Amino acid sequence: MLPDGYTLRPLSLGDSAALAHAALRNREHLRPWEPARPETFFTADGQLEVVRGRLHQVELGLYDCWLLWHDDTVVGAANLQNIVRGAMQGADVGYWVDHQHLRRGLAVAALEHLVQRGNALGLHRLGASTMVANLPSQAVLRRCGFIECGRIPQFLHLDGDWRDSLLFNLVLHDGPPRG
């Protein structure tokens, strides 16, 4: 459950300016955990391009994108990404919280929302990866019932180098594929 004053809303085309402000405000906070970004990423036009791409993936059923708002300010995001149907019925989770809004239970609430969305979409499992050094994210995943299930050496190029990642998994149900 989100604390008072916070809401999660689906991503929309009009969110690009607020996302640009959030990206710029959190540039250093998120830098260790994200790929290198071009300067345009931190502008409203650059975010408009990102939003259009994500909304296209939503239309294709590959993404489920949510923004965390505090009043009229974007302070985080929560996504189901790489949604796969067929025999897998799974997705990966992704989330972040603004550096000025940490330690309020927002990441846990956002991830709990993604688990609910995964169930609503009929998914069987959710996966996540975190850099080995990202202990706060690992704690959020564990608190939400995700189980560490492996390590991939040199999995992602982040913060200027190939980084190992820990993998986490959450099985949502044991029944046959839905939908």
Side-chain angles (χ1 to χ4, degrees):
M1 173 177 270
L2 287 170
D4 288 343
Y6 293 91
T7 58
L8 271 166
R9 297 194 309 243
L11 178 68
S12 70
L13 201 53
D15 295 334
S16 59
L19 274 167
H21 289 296
L24 194 57
R25 194 174 55 252
N26 288 280
R27 187 176 196 162
E28 286 307 307
H29 167 60
L30 297 175
R31 183 190 47 75
W33 321 116
E34 293 194 343
R37 305 285 192 193
E39 286 301 314
T40 57
F41 181 84
F42 302 96
T43 67
D45 287 342
Q47 284 300 307
L48 181 58
E49 185 178 323
V50 170
V51 169
R52 283 184 176 143
R54 289 278 166 89
L55 290 175
H56 179 68
Q57 291 179 321
V58 168
E59 289 174 14
L60 296 173
L62 302 174
Y63 257 74
D64 189 49
C65 301
W66 297 81
L67 293 180
L68 177 62
W69 293 84
H70 185 255
D71 298 322
D72 61 351
T73 303
V74 171
V75 297
N79 303 304
L80 293 176
Q81 50 207 35
N82 307 320
I83 297 173
V84 177
R85 294 302 185 165
M88 180 182 282
Q89 295 294 327
D92 295 322
V93 300
Y95 52 88
W96 65 269
V97 174
D98 187 294
H99 72 280
Q100 296 175 341
H101 295 262
L102 297 174
R103 293 175 207 43
R104 299 177 193 187
L106 297 171
V108 169
L111 186 53
E112 288 172 343
H113 176 77
L114 294 179
V115 171
Q116 291 173 353
R117 291 292 301 157
N119 276 311
L121 293 170
L123 299 176
H124 166 69
R125 62 158 294 281
L126 299 177
S129 68
T130 70
M131 286 177 49
V132 173
N134 196 344
L135 300 177
S137 188
Q138 293 162 33
V140 167
L141 289 161
R142 288 185 178 101
R143 183 164 174 199
C144 291
F146 283 72
I147 297 170
E148 185 178 337
C149 59
R151 180 180 180 137
I152 299 179
Q154 300 182 358
F155 185 52
L156 297 171
H157 195 269
L158 303 171
D159 196 25
D161 204 359
W162 288 102
R163 307 287 178 176
D164 294 1
S165 286
L166 298 179
L167 300 179
F168 289 80
N169 190 62
L170 177 67
V171 175
L172 301 174
H173 68 87
D174 289 328
R178 301 184 224 156

